Structure formats: structure tokens, C-alpha cells
Amino acid sequence: MVKTRLEAFSDGVLAVIITIMVLELKVPHGSDWQALQPLLPVFLSYVLSFVYIGIYWNNHHHMLHTLKRVNGKIMWANLYLLFWLSLVPFVTGWMGENHFAALPTALYGVVLFMAALAYLVLQKCIILVDGGTESLLAKAVEHDRKGKVSQLLYAIAIPLAFWNQWLADGLYSLVAIIWLVPDRRIERILEE
Amino acid sequence: MVKTRLEAFSDGVLAVIITIMVLELKVPHGSDWQALQPLLPVFLSYVLSFVYIGIYWNNHHHMLHTLKRVNGKIMWANLYLLFWLSLVPFVTGWMGENHFAALPTALYGVVLFMAALAYLVLQKCIILVDGGTESLLAKAVEHDRKGKVSQLLYAIAIPLAFWNQWLADGLYSLVAIIWLVPDRRIERILEE
Amino acid sequence: MVKTRLEAFSDGVLAVIITIMVLELKVPHGSDWQALQPLLPVFLSYVLSFVYIGIYWNNHHHMLHTLKRVNGKIMWANLYLLFWLSLVPFVTGWMGENHFAALPTALYGVVLFMAALAYLVLQKCIILVDGGTESLLAKAVEHDRKGKVSQLLYAIAIPLAFWNQWLADGLYSLVAIIWLVPDRRIERILEE
Amino acid sequence: MVKTRLEAFSDGVLAVIITIMVLELKVPHGSDWQALQPLLPVFLSYVLSFVYIGIYWNNHHHMLHTLKRVNGKIMWANLYLLFWLSLVPFVTGWMGENHFAALPTALYGVVLFMAALAYLVLQKCIILVDGGTESLLAKAVEHDRKGKVSQLLYAIAIPLAFWNQWLADGLYSLVAIIWLVPDRRIERILEE
């Protein structure tokens, strides 16, 4: 029952995050194509962040599926993850309104990097509660190639943003594409 | 249990979408009828979009009722539907603030059209999981006259908006009225 | 299970409504008492509306407690109630920012009156599904003195606002106080 | 079942509160470090309030865990707590935008103090329903050192803000750190 409420609160926060991002798409005053044009980068950054929050919701959902007990550490690790994700609307808006300028693009990457780290911390806390390296989740994420590649690509993209921000944005999109496929490892292990 | 969380997240997103739309009804500075007047088109577009989101919630609710298992495809098809619905507050505000001008009215129709397509994709994913053409949902939506008529009316309304936007708005309202009756086909099949 | 989702969606919408109202309390630029002063009427109208949404959530909760089946009529009656309640943040902000001027105060009453009517419609739909005049809910709300008095007080307050808005605001507060006690009738009947 | 809905509504409100606070982090127009700098105090106050709302969610979660029945008093005590917490985004934004000036810092403390009082009221209502001083919760919070120390520190910090606001902010942070550890007393008593 305790787990139910952790999921309900996380779902609530993620639902609000994914929806208030659209408020950055400020309604323009004119009613022609020219009025829409400056919104294009804001829209593109919105799409990217929508996909990222969707990925986090999806994987969060899978990860908690194996969880049986909840303790204080898991609660705070979960809140720590939600904290970094709650900054996504801000960096999305900043990156979009500045047409993917160098610093906002780099900061976007920093928030993604920190959220990915927080996700790993939450994963470790859940594995510890569920029986350590012998737990289902531990086996499912043993090699975690996707996770390691993502961290590496973020680490490359952040400094890259100051040299060529389009390459950085390309790397963020690449990581999103890698993760669009949900974490089948957990599904597979559970079926066995 | 997995299905519960899909419903909870969708309910959360739809609840936020339907409620933040009211933020476009910006509090006017004056306190007389003149101050309220420019809000009338924004209010009318709010009513139309409120009904649309209500229809989607209603039908989403019915469609998932027959669902037993959730897989990655269903999750992403659901997020894809939520993405298009999340754009409804933006196009509602743009159409309202520009007194139903041609381009905003057409774009409103495009978002409705894309959301309707996304709904069909989600329906197909659910039917595939639940046993293909023999499933309850497949039988319930076999002919899907309402769905086809809606798509056709949107496709007519979008170019029509550039010629006479009131006719386009009339068609959007007509589709909403057609759908106001919930999808009894599923209820009927389930009762049998 | 169907009822669960109706409750979840309503809870979500009411939670967002009650919380986004605070966004009308716009952060002032100064940092002294003078900067806070113009916010006082906005704050007072926020308190009144918070209590009203709380009352609706409370009574909604009690009313749905007796419900067993959900049909399309109940779903739409529920959405119709949520529609009127979704306008509360707008009229609250308008009334607050105009220091309880006549027209905003009257419009606030109109929204309360329409929400109360919508609540009655929802009640009738639920009674029809649950067995008509013999149902638990029908017995619990047989005389419905509170409901009738509220409607009467709203009907008096709306025209009164154009003559003396403080009397109208006093009547709104009076209705809130009358309802602050939750609907024990349902609790009592259920216990029997 | 009644308790489920109380939790769902509270989770919804807390999820919206914790997320809309980030809207105070307004996207700056420039794209360099200078543009970010004025946001630093807003960000710091956001972090502090995020931690506070997280603490309340955590403890609320623990406190309701022992609850079996819900009555009208608990519902209103819960709404009263949510009311004070709903003011947190406002005082957070005001304190942040004014770089922790004296009055906003003091008002931030007043809201925290009132929320802590409301939490105590809710606790008393729950203890009364669950069997008075013999209940699990009553035993768990018998001495309540943390609660008393927090109230004392708030009471010191509020007047202190007018003399040196950094000391007041330090005390708020100290209380947050004290509470970061979840309320293990309840966990311990429950295990026995």
C-alpha cells in the first residue's frame, strides 16, 4: 500500500511536469505564420522534453514494478529524481526561447545528466531493499549498457554545446531515441 | 496493476490539461462588462476544448476498460495521444485570443485531427494485445462510423477555415456533439 | 473499478483547481508591507474559494460513496460540475483584483449558483442509477434544507451585489459556513 | 476506501504545489551567465521549499498509514494543512525575488509555522479517531521532540528575520535538515 502512494505521487508530479511545459508555448499575439515562427524552437524543445519525461515515467514504472517494500531512503531518492525532473520545464523553456543557444543547451544537458544520476541512485536503493545483487532488478540492469552510454553522451554533449550546440542537441535526441524502446530487460527477467 | 498506473498517469495529465486551459482566461483589469467582452471568444473556445478533453477522457476510460495487459507499444501510443492533447490548451488560447481567425482555427483542427489519429493508433495497439479481430474491443469498434465521420469532418474543416472559419468552427462543434454520447458500443458488447 | 477512475479524475481536477488559484496571488515587486497590501482582497477571495472547493470535494466524496455503478449520464453530469468549478479560479481572481467590485462579485455568485445546480443534477443522476427514491442517497438528501437555502442565498446575493457588494460577499461566506460541516445525513443513513 | 481518496487528493495537491513552484523560476531573456544570476536566490528558495513539501508528503504518508477511519474533522484538518502548504509557492517566490529580504523571509517562516501547527491539529484528530492516547500514532509521537524543536526554531526565526535574515534562513534550513530523516518512530512502533 505504501508503494501505491509513492507511485501515485510520482505519477502526479510527472503528469504536472509534462503538462506545464506547454505553458512555455506562449500564445502569440498575431494570427499568421509569422506569429508562429518564433515558437518553432520552443516547440521542438517541448517535443524533446515531452519524450524525455515520457521515458522517465516509462522506466520508473518498470523499475518500481519489481519493488516490494518502500523505506525512507527510497522515498528520498525518488524525491531527488523528481527534483531534477522538475527543472526540465525551466531549462526547456530557456533553451527554446534562446533558439538553442550555447549555455541553455549545456544547462539542459546538465539537468538531464543529474536526473540520470538520480535515477541510478534510486535504482541502487531499490536493489538494496529487494535483496541486493541477487534481486530481479539487479539482474535485469546488470550490464546497463543503455545507462552507461547515456551518461557518456551527456558528458560529451555538455562541453560540446559551447563549440557547436546543434551537435549537443543531436546527442540529446540520440539518447532519447535509444531509450524510446522501453526497458525490456526487466520484462524479460520477470517472465522467466 | 500495470494498467492502474497507465490510467492514473493519463487521468493526471488530462486533469491538468483540462484545468490549465482556464489560465488562458486571463483576469481583465477593468471590472465592467467592457472588460469581459474581449474574453468571450476565449471563453467559447475554452468550452469547446473542455468538451473535447471530456470526450477523450470518457472514451479513453471505456477503451481501457476492456484492456487486460499493457505493453511498451500501448504505453507509447498512449503518450503519443497525450502529446497531441497537451497541445489543445495552446491552440485553444491562440484561437480564442485571435477571435477564431483563419490560421488558428485551422491549426486547432490539425491538433484535433492528429489526436483522433493517435486515438486510432492506441486502439489498434490495444486490439493487438487483447486478441486481435476476435477481441471485445475489435468487435465493439468494428464499423466505427463515428470515428470515420469525425476524421472526414476535420479534414473538411481544416482547409475550410481559410475560406470561412465559422463553418470550420461549426464542424468542430458538430463532431463534439456527435461524440457527447459516450461510446455505448463497448458497454453493449461487454453486457452481452 | 469504473467508479475509481471517476473519483481519480475528479480528485485530480479539484486538486489542480484548488492549487492554481494561488497563482493569482502574484508575487509583488517590493518587499515591504505596502507591496503586500493590494494583495489582501486577492488573498481573502482565495480563502473563500479554497473553502468552497474544499466543501465540494468533501460532499462529492460523500455522494459518490453510496454509488455502485457509473453510466454515461453520471460521467457527463460530473464533468458538467467540474466545468463550473473550473471557472472558480477565474472569478476568484477577477473579484480579488477588483477589490470585490459589483460585477465581479455578482459573477462569482453566478458561478457558485451554476455549480450548485450542476451538483443537484449529478445527485439526481446518481439516485436514478442507485434505485430511485428508495436509494440510500435519495433518503439522505430527502429534505435537503442546506441545498435549498444555499440556492436561495445565491439568488439573493447576485442582484444584491450591484447594490451593496459587501452584503453579497457576506452571503457567500454565510453559505460556506453552513456547508463547512460535512454532509452527516449520508453518514447517518449509512450507519443505520 | 474513504482513506484512499483522502490520500489521493492530498497527493494531487502536494504534487501540484511542488511542481508549480518551478513556474516562479521565470525563463530569463538573455542566454548568458548574467541572465541566470538574478535567478540564484529564486532557485535557492525553490530548493528549500521543495525539501519542505517533500518532508510534509513523507510525514503525511507515515501519519496516515496508521489511520483506519476517516471522519469530517480529519478531512477539514487535512484541508487546513493543505491550505497553508498551498501558500508556500507564493512566499517562496516572494522571498526569492526579493533576495531573502526581511519581511518576505519572516512571512515564509509564518507560513511554515502555521503549516506545522496545522499538522499537529491533523495529528490530534487522527489520534482521537484511532483510540486516543492508547493508539499507535499517539505512542509514536509521544514526546515529539522534533516537532517541538521545529516550532521553537520557527518562533525564533520569524522576529530574527528583521534583524538578520540570513540567520532566519539558516534556521529554516536547519529545521529542514532535522526532518530530512523520515519519522522512524512510527515505523518502529508499527514493527513492534
Side-chain angles (χ1 to χ4, degrees):
Chain A
M1 195 185 303
V2 175
K3 179 182 148 189
T4 315
R5 225 184 140 182
L6 185 75
E7 289 181 334
F9 183 70
S10 307
D11 282 348
V13 171
L14 292 175
V16 181
I17 289 174
I18 215 168
T19 326
I20 63 170
M21 278 195 302
V22 91
L23 293 177
E24 283 304 323
L25 269 177
K26 301 225 173 72
V27 170
H29 286 296
S31 63
D32 49 10
W33 287 109
Q34 270 80 36
L36 269 192
Q37 233 174 16
L39 284 176
L40 188 68
V42 186
F43 178 71
L44 289 178
S45 64
Y46 173 63
V47 173
L48 184 62
S49 295
F50 191 97
V51 171
Y52 263 112
I53 301 291
I55 289 166
Y56 271 101
W57 177 71
N58 231 321
N59 289 339
H60 190 264
H61 173 108
H62 275 83
M63 187 162 65
L64 263 73
H65 196 237
T66 64
L67 180 66
K68 284 180 205 89
R69 284 181 298 152
V70 172
N71 62 9
K73 268 185 196 162
I74 289 175
M75 282 192 155
W76 281 106
N78 192 55
L79 272 167
Y80 183 65
L81 171 62
L82 293 178
F83 173 75
W84 286 105
L85 293 179
S86 81
L87 295 178
V88 168
F90 171 74
V91 287
T92 303
W94 201 37
M95 187 168 77
E97 284 204 12
N98 290 289
H99 299 66
F100 300 91
L103 182 63
T105 301
L107 198 70
Y108 188 83
V110 169
V111 168
L112 289 181
F113 184 80
M114 294 306 291
L117 266 185
Y119 188 83
L120 278 183
V121 170
L122 178 57
Q123 204 175 58
K124 286 223 168 124
C125 292
I126 291 177
I127 287 174
L128 277 173
V129 161
D130 266 6
T133 52
E134 293 306 305
S135 76
L136 282 177
L137 183 61
K139 280 179 196 161
V141 299
E142 206 175 6
H143 302 295
D144 196 23
R145 272 177 226 147
K146 272 189 188 183
K148 281 173 194 156
V149 168
S150 307
Q151 295 280 21
L152 186 69
L153 291 180
Y154 292 145
I156 294 170
I158 295 166
L160 201 63
F162 294 99
W163 183 67
N164 185 329
Q165 64 262 45
W166 303 111
L167 286 177
D169 291 314
L171 288 181
Y172 301 150
S173 310
L174 183 65
V175 174
I177 290 163
I178 291 174
W179 281 101
L180 265 178
V181 184
D183 208 331
R184 281 180 204 277
R185 294 170 303 179
I186 298 173
E187 281 180 22
R188 242 178 275 147
I189 299 275
L190 275 176
E191 274 163 23
E192 289 169 22
Chain B
M1 193 185 302
V2 175
K3 180 182 147 189
T4 314
R5 225 183 140 182
L6 184 75
E7 289 180 334
F9 183 70
S10 307
D11 282 348
V13 171
L14 292 174
V16 181
I17 289 174
I18 215 169
T19 325
I20 62 169
M21 277 196 302
V22 91
L23 293 178
E24 283 304 323
L25 269 177
K26 300 222 174 74
V27 170
H29 287 295
S31 63
D32 49 10
W33 286 110
Q34 270 81 35
L36 269 192
Q37 232 175 16
L39 284 177
L40 189 68
V42 186
F43 178 71
L44 289 178
S45 65
Y46 173 63
V47 173
L48 184 62
S49 295
F50 192 97
V51 172
Y52 262 111
I53 301 290
I55 288 167
Y56 271 102
W57 177 71
N58 231 321
N59 289 338
H60 189 265
H61 173 108
H62 275 82
M63 186 161 66
L64 263 72
H65 196 236
T66 64
L67 180 66
K68 285 181 205 89
R69 284 181 298 151
V70 172
N71 62 10
K73 269 185 196 162
I74 289 175
M75 281 192 155
W76 281 105
N78 191 55
L79 272 168
Y80 183 66
L81 171 62
L82 294 178
F83 173 75
W84 286 105
L85 294 178
S86 82
L87 295 177
V88 168
F90 172 74
V91 288
T92 303
W94 200 37
M95 186 169 77
E97 283 204 13
N98 289 289
H99 299 65
F100 300 92
L103 182 62
T105 301
L107 198 70
Y108 188 83
V110 169
V111 168
L112 289 182
F113 184 80
M114 295 305 291
L117 265 185
Y119 188 83
L120 278 183
V121 170
L122 177 57
Q123 204 176 58
K124 285 222 168 124
C125 291
I126 291 177
I127 287 174
L128 276 173
V129 161
D130 266 6
T133 51
E134 292 306 305
S135 75
L136 281 178
L137 183 62
K139 280 180 197 161
V141 299
E142 206 175 7
H143 301 295
D144 195 22
R145 271 175 227 148
K146 273 189 187 181
K148 281 172 194 156
V149 168
S150 308
Q151 294 280 21
L152 186 69
L153 291 180
Y154 292 145
I156 294 170
I158 294 165
L160 200 64
F162 294 99
W163 184 66
N164 185 328
Q165 63 262 46
W166 303 110
L167 286 176
D169 291 314
L171 288 181
Y172 300 151
S173 311
L174 183 65
V175 175
I177 290 164
I178 291 174
W179 281 101
L180 265 178
V181 183
D183 209 331
R184 282 179 204 277
R185 293 170 303 179
I186 298 174
E187 280 179 21
R188 242 178 276 146
I189 299 274
L190 276 175
E191 273 162 25
E192 288 169 23
Chain C
M1 195 184 302
V2 175
K3 181 182 147 188
T4 314
R5 224 183 141 183
L6 185 75
E7 290 181 333
F9 183 71
S10 307
D11 282 347
V13 171
L14 292 174
V16 180
I17 289 174
I18 215 169
T19 325
I20 63 170
M21 278 195 301
V22 90
L23 294 177
E24 283 304 324
L25 269 177
K26 300 222 174 74
V27 170
H29 286 295
S31 63
D32 49 10
W33 286 109
Q34 270 81 35
L36 269 192
Q37 232 174 16
L39 285 176
L40 189 68
V42 186
F43 178 71
L44 289 178
S45 65
Y46 173 64
V47 173
L48 184 61
S49 295
F50 191 97
V51 172
Y52 263 111
I53 301 290
I55 288 166
Y56 271 102
W57 177 70
N58 232 321
N59 290 339
H60 190 264
H61 173 108
H62 275 82
M63 186 161 65
L64 263 73
H65 196 236
T66 64
L67 179 67
K68 285 181 203 88
R69 283 181 298 151
V70 172
N71 63 9
K73 268 185 196 162
I74 290 177
M75 280 191 156
W76 281 106
N78 191 56
L79 272 167
Y80 183 65
L81 171 62
L82 293 179
F83 172 75
W84 286 106
L85 294 179
S86 81
L87 294 177
V88 168
F90 171 74
V91 288
T92 303
W94 200 37
M95 187 169 75
E97 283 204 14
N98 290 289
H99 300 64
F100 301 92
L103 183 61
T105 301
L107 199 71
Y108 187 83
V110 169
V111 168
L112 289 182
F113 184 80
M114 294 306 290
L117 266 185
Y119 188 83
L120 278 183
V121 170
L122 177 57
Q123 204 175 59
K124 286 223 168 123
C125 291
I126 291 177
I127 287 174
L128 277 173
V129 160
D130 266 6
T133 52
E134 292 306 305
S135 75
L136 280 178
L137 183 62
K139 280 180 195 160
V141 299
E142 207 176 5
H143 302 295
D144 196 22
R145 272 177 226 146
K146 272 190 188 180
K148 280 171 195 157
V149 168
S150 308
Q151 295 280 22
L152 187 69
L153 291 180
Y154 292 144
I156 294 170
I158 294 165
L160 201 63
F162 294 99
W163 183 67
N164 184 330
Q165 63 262 44
W166 303 111
L167 285 177
D169 291 315
L171 288 181
Y172 301 151
S173 309
L174 183 65
V175 174
I177 291 162
I178 291 175
W179 281 102
L180 264 178
V181 183
D183 208 331
R184 281 180 204 276
R185 294 170 301 179
I186 298 173
E187 281 180 21
R188 243 178 273 147
I189 299 275
L190 276 175
E191 273 163 24
E192 288 169 23
Chain D
M1 196 185 302
V2 175
K3 179 182 149 190
T4 314
R5 224 183 141 183
L6 185 74
E7 289 181 333
F9 183 70
S10 307
D11 282 348
V13 171
L14 292 174
V16 181
I17 290 174
I18 215 168
T19 325
I20 62 170
M21 277 195 301
V22 90
L23 294 177
E24 283 303 322
L25 268 177
K26 301 225 172 72
V27 170
H29 286 295
S31 63
D32 49 11
W33 287 109
Q34 270 81 35
L36 269 192
Q37 232 174 15
L39 285 176
L40 188 69
V42 186
F43 178 71
L44 289 178
S45 64
Y46 173 63
V47 173
L48 184 61
S49 295
F50 191 97
V51 171
Y52 263 112
I53 301 290
I55 288 166
Y56 271 101
W57 177 71
N58 232 321
N59 289 339
H60 190 263
H61 173 107
H62 276 83
M63 186 162 65
L64 264 73
H65 195 237
T66 64
L67 180 66
K68 284 180 206 88
R69 283 181 300 150
V70 172
N71 63 9
K73 268 185 197 164
I74 289 177
M75 281 191 156
W76 281 105
N78 191 55
L79 272 167
Y80 183 65
L81 171 62
L82 293 178
F83 172 75
W84 286 105
L85 293 179
S86 82
L87 295 178
V88 168
F90 172 73
V91 288
T92 303
W94 201 37
M95 187 169 76
E97 283 204 13
N98 290 289
H99 299 66
F100 300 92
L103 183 60
T105 301
L107 199 71
Y108 187 82
V110 170
V111 169
L112 289 182
F113 184 80
M114 295 305 291
L117 266 185
Y119 188 83
L120 278 184
V121 170
L122 178 57
Q123 204 176 58
K124 286 222 168 124
C125 291
I126 291 177
I127 287 174
L128 276 173
V129 161
D130 266 6
T133 51
E134 292 305 305
S135 75
L136 281 177
L137 183 62
K139 280 180 196 161
V141 299
E142 207 176 5
H143 302 295
D144 195 24
R145 272 178 225 145
K146 272 189 187 181
K148 281 172 194 157
V149 168
S150 308
Q151 295 280 23
L152 187 69
L153 291 180
Y154 293 145
I156 294 171
I158 294 165
L160 200 63
F162 294 99
W163 184 66
N164 184 330
Q165 63 262 45
W166 303 111
L167 286 177
D169 292 314
L171 288 181
Y172 301 151
S173 311
L174 183 65
V175 174
I177 290 163
I178 291 174
W179 280 101
L180 265 178
V181 183
D183 208 331
R184 282 179 203 277
R185 292 169 303 178
I186 298 174
E187 281 180 21
R188 242 178 274 146
I189 299 275
L190 276 175
E191 274 164 23
E192 288 169 23

